[in-house]
Amino acid sequence: MEYDIFVSYSRKDTDQVQEVVGKLTDQGFNVWIDRDGIESGDAFKSVIVKAIKNSKIFLFFSSATANESPWTVKEVNMAVFLKKTIIPIKLDDTIYNDSLLFDLVGLDYITYYNTPNHGIRELTKAIMKHLGKPGIDVKKIKEEIKVLENDGAQLYAQQRRLLDDIIAKKRLMGENSLTCPVCGTKNDVSSPFCPTCGWTPIPFQSKKMDEKRLAVARKLWESRGKETTVIEEAPRQTLPQPIMELIHDMVKVEGGTFMMGGTREQGEDAFDDEKPAHKVTLSTFFIGRYPITQDQWEAVMGVNPSYFKGKKLPVEKVSWFDCQEFAKKLSEMTGRHFRLPTEAEWEYAARGGKKGKRYKYSGGNILNQVGWYNENSGGISHDVGQKSPNELGIYDMSGNIWEWVQDWKGDYTEDDQVNPKGPETGIERVCRGGGWNREIDRARVSYRGDDQATLQYCSLGLRIALEESI
């Protein structure tokens, strides 16, 4: 018999495991679970191995007792050997022992012990992803889509002919231009969209729907320059899509004054180099909503040096000097002045700027909710923007990867500062934010990392900044 899920667990966790298994079976999943225990090695070979072979997903319930059980270790080893999809679900915060860590390192896991309902939802999504949606005839649906697309193409061609006739008749009457109803620009009557504001009329659409679209478009046009992202018109040359995304995702950080360094909420975790806390005033600037991703780096530099590969993973293994070259080439490509943020700008943005709520980490006091670090990362970096943002809508400023900033590392003083740029010389450059491989206290908003400017490491990347006047 084939099963959707094989369950590996410790008998001491039976109550919690049975609760989860019950919810899975209620959703129609076919689950194999050993409820009575198997004592002999022969039984393990004949029953457990067969069940793992006949299951599509291997669900491992991690706990203090499960991580020390020789049975669960054998079951995980067998699942790895058989190349099964393994989904770990944590019943407590116990770290895997060495035997399990060897097999499970790099696998993301689901946390059940803090928020059971959320854990069940995430588990169900993961199972559905790996099983696929049953009962769907993909081939048939593709054929139906093709027929519909052909019908749509014919309707569009007919509509296009009607529109061309209308335009020709307007030209006969001398109507060669059309005023954009959004921005007021005069365009050729045949223009499919307004090159100034992007308004695209939809021919033969109902007047009621047109009015709704117009209202939204006019509101967006009138609010240009007031948003938190850079929406100024792009350079005339066509930019690669990753760079267009980068420009769109630059967040405006309103200037203001804040206390920088080991402030009260950082508590006893604050190191000596974070003290004394001191008053800093900054001008308005822009900073990336996300760390620079690998597709963005490659669009500018032509190569991807990262250890972990993925378009939306943060770029890493880049030195401080590499980042300077990236900022220079990006500026030349876009006609804007991109650069690394100063250390003060980075911390101000991480704290949420004027909207800051004095959190320990960027976006909250619970790091699991806002960042990836050594206890929840699974030993890898993650796609940007997967955790919760901070008050400014900025992601990943606590954890995932370290981020180079512009400054040399230097000592703090009690003096008030305005737009500080750090010491003029030094030995090491500052990096901020913590990483997927580091401890929880390194992800605090005031923690100061430092490294040689030539260092290239698999958890060290960057976030870009931009002057307000561009």
Side-chain angles (χ1 to χ4, degrees):
M1 181 176 178
E2 290 192 353
Y3 301 94
D4 294 324
I5 302 163
F6 176 95
V7 172
S8 176
Y9 72 109
S10 165
R11 302 294 174 273
K12 293 184 180 180
D13 300 322
T14 297
D15 290 344
Q16 284 181 289
V17 172
Q18 291 285 21
E19 182 181 357
V20 175
V21 170
K23 291 179 179 178
L24 293 177
T25 53
D26 288 345
Q27 295 180 65
F29 296 116
N30 188 9
V31 182
W32 190 96
I33 179 170
D34 164 34
R35 291 184 170 85
D36 301 320
I38 295 176
E39 302 300 333
S40 71
D42 287 338
F44 176 84
K45 293 177 183 177
S46 62
V47 178
I48 299 292
V49 175
K50 185 177 180 181
I52 295 174
K53 279 185 175 180
N54 292 338
S55 298
K56 298 174 183 176
I57 292 174
F58 183 92
L59 183 58
F60 171 56
F61 284 87
S62 169
S63 69
T65 54
N67 291 352
E68 298 304 323
S69 167
W71 290 106
T72 55
V73 171
K74 288 180 180 180
E75 290 168 354
V76 171
N77 291 160
M78 183 55 62
V80 172
F81 177 76
L82 294 172
K83 297 182 179 179
K84 295 293 179 180
T85 297
I86 300 175
I87 301 177
I89 179 167
K90 287 207 168 192
L91 300 178
D92 58 33
D93 60 358
T94 303
I95 299 174
Y96 302 134
N97 63 29
D98 291 344
S99 298
L100 289 169
L101 186 62
F102 183 80
D103 288 328
L104 300 179
V105 65
L107 289 181
D108 203 0
Y109 56 80
I110 292 168
T111 301
Y112 182 76
Y113 59 92
N114 281 334
T115 52
N117 290 335
H118 177 73
I120 288 293
R121 288 195 298 271
E122 291 301 305
L123 178 59
T124 301
K125 284 167 58 179
I127 292 171
M128 290 299 295
K129 174 186 174 183
H130 291 293
L131 288 181
K133 295 182 179 180
I136 296 177
D137 188 339
V138 175
K139 184 178 180 181
K140 182 180 178 182
I141 291 176
K142 285 184 177 179
E143 290 173 351
E144 292 173 349
I145 290 174
K146 191 172 182 179
V147 171
L148 293 172
E149 286 177 342
N150 288 333
D151 291 345
Q154 292 177 16
L155 288 172
Y156 176 78
Q158 182 182 5
Q159 187 183 69
R160 186 69 241 181
R161 286 194 295 272
L162 292 172
L163 186 61
D164 288 343
D165 286 344
I166 292 172
I167 291 171
K169 293 183 185 301
K170 285 186 175 181
R171 289 192 186 282
L172 286 173
M173 297 188 297
E175 295 181 15
N176 295 314
S177 63
L178 182 68
T179 301
C180 174
V182 175
C183 66
T185 302
K186 280 194 174 184
N187 301 309
D188 188 88
V189 70
S190 63
S191 178
F193 64 91
C194 175
T196 301
C197 69
W199 167 254
T200 303
I202 299 178
F204 316 116
Q205 183 173 257
S206 71
K207 185 178 179 181
K208 186 175 181 181
M209 182 61 71
D210 232 17
E211 288 175 350
K212 288 183 178 180
R213 290 182 62 242
L214 271 172
V216 173
R218 284 169 178 158
K219 185 175 180 180
L220 290 172
W221 176 253
E222 291 167 1
S223 66
R224 65 194 188 284
K226 300 176 184 178
E227 303 297 325
T228 59
T229 54
V230 179
I231 58 174
E232 293 84 354
E233 73 173 58
R236 293 186 181 276
Q237 68 270 27
T238 301
L239 292 172
Q241 183 62 30
I243 304 308
M244 294 297 291
E245 292 174 359
L246 184 156
I247 293 172
H248 178 269
D249 287 327
M250 295 300 293
V251 176
K252 188 174 185 178
V253 183
E254 294 287 348
T257 301
F258 76 110
M259 292 301 294
M260 181 175 179
T263 46
R264 182 179 301 175
E265 80 285 342
Q266 302 300 306
E268 295 180 358
D269 288 337
F271 287 74
D272 288 342
D273 65 354
E274 300 169 43
K275 302 173 184 176
H278 53 288
K279 187 181 293 185
V280 173
T281 300
L282 294 173
S283 302
T284 298
F285 62 98
F286 291 88
I287 196 166
R289 190 179 300 280
Y290 311 102
I292 292 298
T293 56
Q294 293 177 25
D295 61 344
Q296 291 168 347
W297 182 276
E298 193 165 0
V300 174
M301 305 295 282
V303 295
N304 181 5
S306 304
Y307 178 79
F308 299 106
K309 300 293 186 182
K311 288 184 178 181
K312 295 305 176 185
L313 287 174
V315 69
E316 17 89 356
K317 290 191 69 177
V318 292
S319 70
W320 183 88
F321 292 108
D322 294 332
C323 296
Q324 299 300 314
E325 185 66 17
F326 173 84
K328 178 183 176 183
K329 289 186 176 181
L330 178 63
S331 298
E332 292 171 352
M333 179 185 292
T334 61
R336 295 168 164 85
H337 180 50
F338 285 97
R339 56 175 174 78
L340 288 179
T342 65
E343 186 176 17
E345 287 174 336
W346 191 99
E347 184 170 324
Y348 182 56
R351 287 177 176 271
K354 283 187 173 182
K355 299 180 180 180
K357 297 179 181 178
R358 299 183 180 179
Y359 290 135
K360 194 168 191 174
Y361 311 102
S362 183
N365 289 321
I366 302 174
L367 185 52
N368 266 319
Q369 296 176 355
V370 299
W372 301 105
Y373 65 114
N374 67 342
E375 294 184 18
N376 72 353
S377 69
I380 57 174
S381 63
H382 292 258
D383 283 0
V384 301
Q386 300 301 301
K387 292 290 186 176
S388 299
N390 74 358
E391 301 91 321
L392 294 174
I394 304 174
Y395 294 79
D396 297 307
M397 296 197 85
S398 284
N400 210 0
I401 59 159
W402 293 92
E403 300 175 8
W404 286 112
V405 297
Q406 186 66 28
D407 304 26
W408 289 107
K409 180 73 174 285
D411 294 332
Y412 286 166
T413 69
E414 294 181 349
D415 298 335
D416 293 358
Q417 295 182 306
V418 178
N419 293 324
K421 291 180 170 46
E424 292 184 3
T425 60
I427 299 174
E428 295 177 311
R429 295 285 183 176
V430 178
C431 52
R432 286 298 203 109
W436 56 264
N437 58 340
R438 293 309 303 270
E439 300 81 1
I440 190 170
D441 62 340
R442 267 56 171 178
R444 294 177 296 104
V445 291
S446 63
Y447 183 81
R448 308 176 72 201
D450 50 77
D451 278 304
Q452 294 286 335
T454 55
L455 180 69
Q456 297 172 322
Y457 190 61
C458 61
S459 64
L460 181 54
L462 74 154
R463 185 183 303 264
I464 206 72
L466 181 66
E467 302 288 353
E468 181 185 21
S469 54
I470 55 176

